[in-house]
Amino acid sequence: QVQLVESGGGVVQPGRSLRLSCAASGFTFSSYPMHWVRQAPGKGLEWVAVIKYDGSNKYYGDSVKGRFTISRDNSKNTLFLQMDSLRAEDTAVYYCARDPLPVRFAAAGSGGYFDYWGQGTLVTVSS
Amino acid sequence: DIVMTQSPDSLAVSLGERATINCKSSQSVLYSSTNKHYLAWYQQKPGQPPKLLIYWASTRESGVPDRFTGSGSGTDFTLTIGSLQAEDVAVYYCHQYYSTPPTFGQGTKVEIK
């Protein structure tokens, strides 16, 4: 069965960095675009970033552009999110999610919907 | 960015009754090349990640009970829970994947009356 397990969250001071990981299993990881979506405490969902199946293309939300970097290691079935220059407003649960949309159906570079989600990892940015 | 606006923000429905959630996009999410609406619905229960219910505005994800129905076109969409069950208490989100960045509605909380 499809499993996505995030790790790497924790408490970090403003301006510092953190690297999240998402370990995937139960499917051919290298065939799917992958996303990060976050949810601030008590708030709604906010898309963060996407990376294409082969890492060739990446897109970011405006609130993280220039500070966050999405990457993947298909040999290790793992997705990453490098978060630099963290701010208090980055405090959230970060979910990785799989995108099943075939490329031929994509209307936008950021891909499709999210059919599997991890349980999330909490990032708290506080001094 | 496409703004997704859900209504109501919350609703309380009796067990066995119908629940209707609306989602309006600030521009059409119909892609002419595929003739599909790029709209999905998710259910999120407390302490859990979101779960995909509907994609292409009306296609039910495998394993989702048939009391969940997605409908609509253009900029106006609806998620209907045909006969509310206790396990349907959750927050529901619509999501457009027509353009970058993908965006979500603010969520609708469904409770039991």
Side-chain angles (χ1 to χ4, degrees):
Chain A
Q1 72 282 20
V2 172
Q3 272 200 311
L4 298 169
V5 179
E6 301 93 340
S7 61
V11 180
V12 61
Q13 293 179 328
R16 303 298 291 267
S17 299
L18 208 58
R19 189 193 199 203
L20 306 184
S21 300
C22 169
S25 61
F27 66 102
T28 304
F29 179 71
S30 60
S31 296
Y32 291 83
M34 295 293 297
H35 298 254
W36 288 98
V37 178
R38 69 184 181 182
Q39 186 169 37
K43 302 297 184 182
L45 302 168
E46 180 188 13
W47 176 77
V48 174
V50 63
I51 184 169
K52 296 304 182 186
Y53 67 97
D54 59 357
S56 59
N57 284 299
K58 307 171 186 180
Y59 296 87
Y60 299 90
D62 285 344
S63 61
V64 307
K65 202 173 297 181
R67 300 187 299 123
F68 289 12
T69 303
I70 189 171
S71 62
R72 65 192 297 161
D73 185 339
N74 285 344
S75 69
K76 296 182 179 178
N77 293 340
T78 305
L79 175 72
F80 302 100
L81 186 67
Q82 177 67 41
M83 304 185 296
D84 298 324
S85 302
L86 281 161
R87 305 167 180 167
E89 53 265 36
D90 296 319
T91 294
V93 174
Y94 285 74
Y95 297 102
C96 60
R98 191 181 83 163
D99 179 347
L101 189 69
V103 172
R104 69 185 185 277
F105 284 111
S110 52
Y113 54 93
F114 316 123
D115 64 347
Y116 286 94
W117 300 62
Q119 287 296 314
T121 187
L122 176 62
V123 173
T124 303
V125 183
S126 173
S127 54
Chain B
D1 298 3
I2 295 179
V3 177
M4 307 298 288
T5 304
Q6 292 181 227
S7 62
D9 288 334
S10 64
L11 76 161
V13 176
S14 299
L15 289 172
E17 296 300 306
R18 175 178 298 184
T20 301
I21 301 167
N22 300 300
C23 174
K24 187 175 183 66
S25 57
S26 60
Q27 65 186 75
S28 175
V29 297
L30 173 64
Y31 188 38
S32 57
S33 296
T34 60
N35 198 33
K36 292 180 178 291
H37 289 91
Y38 284 53
L39 190 286
W41 288 97
Y42 303 87
Q43 174 194 65
Q44 187 177 32
K45 298 180 180 180
Q48 295 186 20
K51 172 188 174 184
L52 176 66
L53 297 176
I54 303 284
Y55 56 98
W56 299 136
S58 61
T59 301
R60 199 178 296 116
E61 172 72 337
S62 176
V64 173
D66 60 8
R67 64 180 179 273
F68 291 93
T69 302
S71 63
S73 63
T75 61
D76 293 283
F77 301 91
T78 300
L79 175 68
T80 302
I81 307 173
S83 174
L84 192 74
Q85 305 298 304
E87 61 264 32
D88 300 335
V89 169
V91 178
Y92 293 83
Y93 295 93
C94 60
H95 157 223
Q96 69 79 18
Y97 47 102
Y98 174 81
S99 71
T100 303
T103 48
F104 295 90
Q106 79 277 17
T108 295
K109 186 175 186 178
V110 174
E111 299 173 306
I112 304 295
K113 185 187 292 183

